[in-house]
């Protein structure tokens, strides 16, 4: 944006950047769209090594997925080991022309820093590192270790990311005692919500088989759209549950119905339904699948649209691995985060399990995990941005959390 009135450089006129904002600027300027490392791990490695962390990087590979580089860094050898987990990869910028600032420019304007990953979640990583850096500068001691588990594969297939790092850490006998994940958890303002769990997620497709024929002779055919409609109906009509104390109700959405039939006068032989279900702790992944299969069989046998016919034939194919539901009941962790949030913001954070999946689903198998980060409003959007003030607030919250966690661990 240049012109006689707008030609000044807004960033040079504002205050010097805070430490978390400086770190975030360096990270945003690395174009680390999944699966590209983009220089983001180099920025972290350089900074963490300077602070005394032992930094290790490893590239993970698996068939049919891009290679991904990950980083694990640890300061100290004592236990407990408090780990911060996050991802430096970002989603694509989308329509770059629609951005009002360059997506990898880290431009500062009117109290905000713009750029892909500003809140999801390079900002969270910058704040955690700033908190540690400021603690060290102030001579604060941790009665344990502080570590970072940073992946480049959260927004992608998530096969070569956190899951791979956890396997690698297990192999070398590395123990993580507690983990805070820095995803943007606050819907509107800092202090809104701590995530203590996530619903599970399963996607799949259902192939419905009919018999092709002439639209004028339907008795000689079996229109696959009829069976597919009945199955879509039973999958979405009845509630799966009413929700639980900790979770929203389970919900399934049919996300696509395809007949791939270009001819108006041909009865289609095949229909394909895609679905995604978000399920709470009423179900395990297996019992969720069993319920889906039960409903499909019910829909297949429904004769409203196919009077006098045998149940329609169908197959279900699930996508890769399901995301398991998780809920953290570790009071020490949740309490230390809640105290930190209220000390810094004066607000009582809601303990939430809403939203999509996160890498917490992998970490929960290793240690208690909870999530707290920035305000998520602009994540994955054009003009993703973070309030500079929020960066300082989150840095203070992480600092307070580290204090509280180690104090309590030492006295228990
Ligand atoms: Zn994220």
């Amino acid at each position: 944006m240049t012109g006689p009135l707008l030609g000044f450089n807004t960033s040079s006129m504002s205050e010097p950047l805070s430490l978390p904002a400086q770190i975030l600027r360096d990270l945003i300027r690395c174009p680390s769209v999944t699966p590209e490392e983009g220089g983001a791990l180099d920025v972290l490695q350089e900074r963490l090594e300077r602070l005394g962390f032992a930094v290790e990087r490893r590239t993970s590979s698996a068939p049919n997925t891009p290679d991904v580089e990950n980083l694990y860094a640890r300061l100290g050898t004592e236990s407990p080991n408090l780990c911060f987990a996050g991802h430096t990869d970002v989603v694509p910028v989308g329509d770059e022309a629609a951005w009002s600032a360059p997506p990898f420019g880290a431009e500062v304007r009117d109290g905000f820093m713009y750029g892909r990953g500003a809140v999801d979640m390079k900002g969270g990583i910058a704040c955690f590192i700033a908190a540690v850096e400021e603690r060290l500068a102030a001579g604060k001691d941790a009665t344990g270790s502080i570590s970072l588990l940073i992946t480049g594969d959260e927004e992608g297939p998530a096969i070569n990311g956190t899951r791979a790092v956890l396997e690698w850490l297990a192999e070398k006998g590395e123990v993580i005692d507690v983990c805070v994940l820095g995803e943007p958890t606050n819907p509107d303002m800092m202090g809104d919500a701590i995530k203590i769990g996530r619903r599970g997620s399963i996607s799949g497709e259902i192939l419905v088989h009919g018999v092709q024929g002439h639209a004028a002779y339907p008795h000689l055919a079996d229109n696959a759209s009829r069976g597919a409609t009945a199955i879509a109906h039973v999958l979405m009509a009845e509630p799966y549950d009413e929700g639980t104390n900790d979770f929203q109700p389970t919900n399934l959405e049919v996300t696509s119905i395809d007949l791939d039939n270009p001819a108006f006068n041909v009865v289609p032989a095949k229909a394909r339904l895609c679905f995604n279900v978000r399920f709470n702790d009423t179900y395990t992944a297996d019992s969720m699948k069993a319920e889906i299969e039960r409903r499909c069989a019910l829909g297949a046998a429904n004769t409203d649209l196919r009077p006098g016919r045998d149940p329609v034939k169908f197959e279900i194919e699930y996508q890769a691995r399901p995301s398991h539901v998780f809920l953290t009941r570790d009071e020490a962790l949740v309490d230390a985060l809640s105290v930190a949030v209220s000390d810094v913001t004066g607000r009582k954070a809601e303990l939430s399990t809403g939203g999509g999946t996160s890498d917490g689903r992998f970490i929960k198998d290793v240690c208690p995990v909870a999530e707290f980060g920035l305000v998520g409003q602009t994540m994955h959007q054009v003009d993703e941005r973070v309030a500079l003030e929020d960066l300082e607030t989150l840095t203070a919250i992480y600092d307070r959390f580290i204090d509280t966690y180690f104090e309590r661990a030492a006295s228990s």
Side-chain angles (χ1 to χ4, degrees), residues 36-64:
E36 294 305 323
E37 184 269 328
L41 296 183
D42 292 342
V43 166
L44 295 185
Q45 176 166 14
E46 197 264 329
R47 190 137 208 141
L48 291 168
E49 280 178 346
R50 220 170 346 111
L51 296 177
F53 279 81
V55 180
E56 293 172 81
R57 284 164 69 169
R58 232 195 226 198
T59 300
S60 299
S61 321
N64 306 319

Side-chain angles (χ1 to χ4, degrees), residues 268-281:
K270 269 192 188 127
R272 178 175 157 266
L273 302 173
C274 297
F275 67 87
N276 175 259
V277 62
R278 299 291 165 136
F279 59 99
N280 62 34
D281 55 351

